[in-house]
Amino acid sequence: MNWPLEAFLSFMAAGAFGIVFNTPRRTLISCGLVGMSGWLVYRSYFLLFDDSVQATFAGAFSVAIVAHVLAKRFKMPMIVFSIAGIIPLVPGSRAYNAMRNIVEEDFLEAISFAAEALMISGAIAMGLVFAEVLMQIYFKYQAKRIQRKIGMTQN
Amino acid sequence: MTQISETKRELALDCFLLAGKVMMESGAETYRVEDTMIRMAVSQNMSDSHCFITPGGIMFSPSNDLPTRFVRIRSRRTDLERVALVNSVSRKLVAGELTLQQAYEEMLVIDRTNYLFAMWLQVLAAGVASACFLILMGGTWADLPFAFVIGGLGFLIVETVLIKTRVKFFAEFIGALAIGTLALLVVNSGFGTNPDTIIIGSVMPLVPGLLITNAVRDLMAGHFVSGLSMGAEAFLTAFAIGAGIALVLSF
């Protein structure tokens, strides 16, 4: 695997999707970085453990975490950053293979591809959910800490 | 709670509903729109307001004894810049940096202005994305120019058919059909090598990424009506693309 090439390509792809979805101009580079981080996490997990469902979960999780952090930083909605980053993880080739096998009337093969595509879609959803819950807990904890700090300075 | 005059209340309601309408039309998540409207209402001393949002319309009730207002959402598309702009105006209103009148005027400007990138730039971006995905999905470098052209062309066809017919699924079906036909033509005439990777790469700009993300986040936040309907829309979009490709492959 050619790391710099894949990083560059995923950066370009996510940035191009940023243009298609009309994200604000000054966030285009950040969108590309979100997509790149998601894809690199997905690829390295896949190469290490050879399980595309878990790898997609890890990729979606990191996309959502990075998007949340950037959303706080830019004071913009989180979807501005996450959508372009999620797209590379969508199981396009498996859905395509499922469709192709249905057309060729090889239904057993089609079902196995379709099931895998479905599991990967579920993994994307679960990755988003886990990241969301984790970030909410973290932000609540941080807000409490800040409140306590303010309380201490007032005393 | 301090009472506010009737004209100011009407202005506030217009402002909230316009903000909600622009956000929903641009593809924001339902729970974010609701959150934004309630925050703006609280900042204008309407602390017991209620708001119910579906992808088709917004209902907003300022309090128990005042009439409820309704606004219909007709078309939806992905325009994240508008979402971010409305969000920042509402933040400023809540923080007290803008008066209600100023906020309403800014919302009107946002509603009227076209923030989309130029069409040629969008088509170019779709082509670049397709070419990148071709390599990422394991395609060969020889197919790169074909994926670039076919991906951009497919996106252009979808947008053109969408403007002409206003039926989203039909436009995606035609786009996928065109992509599949062109990819097979290129390979059968001896220029391209692998039709599978060209098709997968070129179809990527049509994937309903926004709908999938929004559906998941809305379902999680407990907005089942909009979550399920956005999920259904995402599924139908995926089905339209799949049907278009399948029709080409069956020949």
Side-chain angles (χ1 to χ4, degrees):
Chain A
M1 171 182 171
N2 189 346
W3 290 96
L5 179 71
E6 293 216 358
F8 174 72
L9 285 174
S10 50
F11 176 81
M12 287 295 286
F17 267 107
I19 293 178
V20 172
F21 292 142
N22 194 35
T23 55
R25 280 153 185 69
R26 64 197 173 95
T27 63
L28 278 177
I29 290 177
S30 322
C31 281
L33 288 176
V34 173
M36 186 171 89
S37 63
W39 178 260
L40 289 183
V41 168
Y42 164 78
R43 279 296 280 177
S44 25
Y45 195 103
F46 183 71
L47 290 178
L48 279 177
F49 300 103
D50 200 30
D51 184 333
S52 55
V53 177
Q54 289 176 12
T56 309
F57 175 83
F61 184 78
S62 55
V63 163
I65 293 276
V66 177
H68 269 293
V69 171
L70 283 172
K72 267 272 177 247
R73 179 105 179 261
F74 278 88
K75 288 198 164 65
M76 277 182 190
M78 174 255 194
I79 47 163
V80 170
F81 302 98
S82 64
I83 291 170
I86 287 293
I87 297 266
L89 305 173
V90 169
S93 61
R94 281 174 190 78
Y96 172 80
N97 280 327
M99 196 54 93
R100 194 191 167 95
N101 280 304
I102 286 175
V103 171
E104 287 166 356
E105 299 197 357
D106 188 350
F107 293 114
L108 279 179
E109 194 78 353
I111 286 173
S112 84
F113 274 119
E116 208 175 348
L118 205 67
M119 295 246 291
I120 290 176
S121 318
I124 293 177
M126 287 313 287
L128 290 175
V129 170
F130 269 60
E132 175 112 16
V133 171
L134 201 75
M135 287 317 268
Q136 268 174 14
I137 292 172
Y138 175 69
F139 286 141
K140 257 183 205 154
Y141 169 74
Q142 214 180 24
K144 250 186 205 160
R145 214 177 53 179
I146 289 168
Q147 273 175 1
R148 218 178 295 147
K149 231 183 212 169
I150 292 167
M152 271 162 73
T153 45
Q154 274 172 351
N155 282 338
Chain B
M1 191 184 119
T2 50
Q3 282 294 326
I4 40 178
S5 67
E6 188 149 345
T7 47
K8 197 181 168 209
R9 200 176 63 223
E10 287 302 311
L11 179 68
L13 284 178
D14 282 341
C15 185
F16 306 156
L17 285 170
L18 186 63
K21 181 172 155 265
V22 172
M23 281 181 101
M24 272 318 272
E25 281 178 349
S26 314
E29 315 102 298
T30 311
Y31 90 92
R32 172 175 302 284
V33 180
E34 194 175 303
D35 187 55
T36 307
M37 288 176 74
I38 295 288
R39 272 170 200 262
M40 284 165 81
V42 168
S43 78
Q44 300 302 316
N45 287 327
M46 298 176 180
S47 49
D48 55 349
S49 55
H50 295 274
C51 172
F52 181 72
I53 300 177
T54 67
I58 300 175
M59 282 170 255
F60 184 86
S61 151
S63 72
N64 290 334
D65 46 343
L66 291 169
T68 300
R69 293 270 300 263
F70 180 83
V71 65
R72 176 90 170 87
I73 295 152
R74 288 208 170 71
S75 64
R76 268 174 298 131
R77 61 163 303 140
T78 310
D79 187 346
L80 295 175
E81 174 141 30
R82 269 192 180 172
V83 178
L85 282 170
V86 174
N87 198 52
S88 78
V89 170
S90 89
R91 269 174 202 271
K92 280 182 195 157
L93 179 70
V94 172
E97 290 170 29
L98 287 177
T99 63
L100 197 57
Q101 183 68 38
Q102 284 169 328
Y104 183 58
E105 276 159 15
E106 284 209 19
M107 296 282 184
L108 281 177
V109 171
I110 293 171
D111 189 30
R112 281 197 216 108
T113 318
N114 179 14
Y115 292 101
L116 292 175
F117 282 96
M119 195 61 207
W120 64 268
L121 195 61
Q122 288 188 46
V123 171
L124 194 71
V128 169
S130 302
C132 292
F133 277 118
L134 173 85
I135 303 295
L136 286 177
M137 299 289 169
T140 51
W141 287 96
D143 290 338
L144 189 82
F146 305 118
F148 177 77
V149 172
I150 294 173
L153 217 58
F155 183 77
L156 184 65
I157 288 170
V158 170
E159 290 290 310
T160 319
V161 176
L162 192 59
I163 292 167
K164 289 266 187 293
T165 63
R166 302 202 167 276
V167 185
K168 204 166 156 248
F169 308 119
F170 181 72
E172 272 139 7
F173 176 77
I174 296 290
L177 198 68
I179 286 172
T181 316
L182 285 172
L184 285 188
L185 274 180
V186 160
V187 172
N188 285 345
S189 59
F191 293 109
T193 48
N194 188 350
D196 297 349
T197 44
I198 295 182
I199 290 177
I200 294 168
S202 314
V203 150
M204 272 297 182
L206 313 183
V207 165
L210 178 99
L211 290 169
I212 297 170
T213 327
N214 279 0
V216 172
R217 299 197 80 201
D218 278 340
L219 283 176
M220 254 175 23
H223 292 266
F224 293 107
V225 174
S226 33
L228 278 184
S229 53
M230 286 206 186
E233 197 180 345
F235 179 76
L236 276 175
T237 307
F239 187 76
I241 296 172
I245 297 293
L247 189 64
V248 177
L249 287 178
S250 62
F251 285 115

